[in-house]
Amino acid sequence: MSLTRRGLLLLPALAGAAQAQVRIEQLRALNGISPAAGSEAERLRRLDEARLALSRGEAEAAAAPLDAAAAMSHAADTELLQLQSLLQRGQVRQALAFAAHTAAAHRDTPEARALHFWLLALSGQPAHAAALLAAMPLPDSAVTAALPALGQAGALPPGLPGPWAHGVDVPATGRPVATGLLLADGQLALVPAAALHDDGPLWLRNGLGRASRAAPAPTDAALAETGLALLHVQPALSPPMPLQRAPRPAFAGSPALRVAALRLDSAAPAWPLLQAGFLGRMDRDGRQALGWPGGATVGGGPVFDAVGRLVGLALPGADGQERLLAAAQLAPLQALPATTEARGRTPDEVYEAALPWVAQLLTQAP
């Protein structure tokens, strides 16, 4: 082949490379980075800036420094922080797609694969996560031990990927004891009353990692008889979008999705677990059995139908089995807007919508 012919074949590749370089320079200019400043030290400084924003609960403010760092280098630590920023903004579905990319692009980084597998398992795809883990085992990872344990009773191992902790500080001696549902723009929470054993300090942490103090609120006799209690949330954990309930009670045999806090021997923030199953028959007290095996979760948690509408709360019974308290039986839930929307939602959509509303209830460990 002549040099002229070879040069003509190379022109498209050279043009593509030139365009890519122009795009990188544009990103640097938009983020105030001079060519000379595009060093590793500058990239690490931008990552520190993003971490500080995340620690303040300002996930949106982390986006610009992360974009700047990504323009300098295609690095795993940058992408892991970008993924964390997406999750802190509650963008679970986008985060799942980005996690798959990060795990594939950085196969030599076990943390990237661990986070991908863990997010899949928590948001409704545990079988897929287990298959990926079997095909690509993780060395010395908490996820390796936790995935098979999700369907069993007992505390999960420490060191699992979780949200970025922010808000009120929770002491290292705190432990999750139940799952709460936030109400009234995050100013109140509905929790299993059996979890409130004494007058010790209480904390609530939503599914995005923000924590607040909690204190008992006046609970009327009718609500107390259901086994639930109200808590004041200080400061409020204000979810960004309203929670909607189903217009009528769910029937036996209908699909249901429960979102609950994980059972951990740790005060560390953790993403909750979505469990899918079917509702059972209603008993003489008007409660329905929950048709899925007990997993590594603490009691309680909101239950949604296949459209993502709240149908009630899970509550542990005296026999250890959890049952559904229908929304119609709970006065605090009647204030929620009912919707007749009928479009089915995927489990990860339901999970994404639930994260700002579901909360760990933590108490002081004895």
Side-chain angles (χ1 to χ4, degrees):
M1 181 184 295
S2 69
L3 290 177
T4 301
R5 173 64 174 161
R6 185 180 302 166
L8 288 172
L9 289 174
L10 285 174
L11 281 176
L14 292 173
Q19 290 173 353
Q21 184 60 38
V22 167
R23 178 60 180 151
I24 289 173
E25 295 303 327
Q26 288 174 339
L27 283 171
R28 286 176 172 169
L30 285 172
N31 289 282
I33 307 170
S34 67
S39 63
E40 180 64 3
E42 175 65 11
R43 187 183 73 86
L44 295 177
R45 187 186 72 78
R46 295 291 180 136
L47 295 187
D48 285 341
E49 185 180 340
R51 291 187 186 99
L52 185 59
L54 290 172
S55 70
R56 296 193 303 262
E58 299 171 1
E60 294 288 348
L66 286 172
D67 286 345
M72 296 176 195
S73 173
H74 183 233
D77 55 351
T78 299
E79 292 197 2
L80 284 170
L81 267 183
Q82 286 179 303
L83 179 52
Q84 192 79 47
S85 177
L86 285 173
L87 290 167
Q88 298 304 129
R89 283 178 268 167
Q91 298 174 6
V92 174
R93 304 192 77 203
Q94 188 175 346
L96 280 167
F98 192 68
H101 157 77
T102 302
H106 302 284
R107 291 177 179 270
D108 57 343
T109 305
E111 294 84 358
R113 286 187 288 131
L115 184 52
H116 181 217
F117 299 163
W118 193 232
L119 291 175
L120 285 172
L122 295 180
S123 61
Q125 300 184 65
H128 183 38
L132 288 175
L133 179 62
M136 296 178 285
L138 292 167
D140 302 323
S141 168
V143 172
T144 300
L147 277 183
L150 281 179
Q152 306 168 12
L156 295 176
L160 290 166
W164 203 281
H166 54 287
V168 171
D169 288 334
V170 177
T173 52
R175 292 294 181 272
V177 293
T179 305
L181 176 69
L182 297 169
L183 299 170
D185 294 326
Q187 300 176 72
L188 294 173
L190 206 51
V191 302
L196 307 177
H197 297 299
D198 52 38
D199 296 329
L202 301 170
W203 300 269
L204 281 163
R205 181 190 280 128
N206 70 10
L208 300 174
R210 182 180 289 278
S212 284
R213 290 174 292 275
T219 301
D220 62 37
L223 183 60
E225 285 180 5
T226 67
L228 294 170
L230 276 173
L231 297 177
H232 285 301
V233 185
Q234 307 157 339
L237 288 171
S238 308
M241 299 292 289
L243 186 65
Q244 296 183 318
R245 63 179 173 86
R248 60 188 65 86
F251 55 87
S254 61
L257 303 164
R258 193 270 289 266
V259 182
L262 292 173
R263 188 182 305 278
L264 299 169
D265 189 20
S266 166
W271 285 299
L273 171 67
L274 180 143
Q275 295 171 300
F278 296 90
L279 296 177
R281 292 181 179 177
M282 194 171 293
D283 64 18
R284 64 182 62 185
D285 295 322
R287 302 182 184 188
Q288 290 176 277
L290 298 177
W292 49 73
T297 59
V298 291
V303 180
F304 303 91
D305 63 13
V307 183
R309 302 172 300 194
L310 184 73
V311 294
L313 296 180
L315 188 70
D319 58 0
Q321 298 299 311
E322 289 197 297
R323 291 176 173 81
L324 174 70
L325 284 173
Q329 297 174 277
L330 302 171
L333 301 187
Q334 294 306 300
L336 299 176
T339 176
T340 57
E341 181 183 356
R343 182 183 74 85
R345 295 182 184 272
T346 59
D348 55 350
E349 283 184 287
V350 176
Y351 186 76
E352 179 177 285
L355 282 182
W357 290 96
V358 67
Q360 287 178 318
L361 172 65
L362 300 106
T363 64
Q364 195 81 37

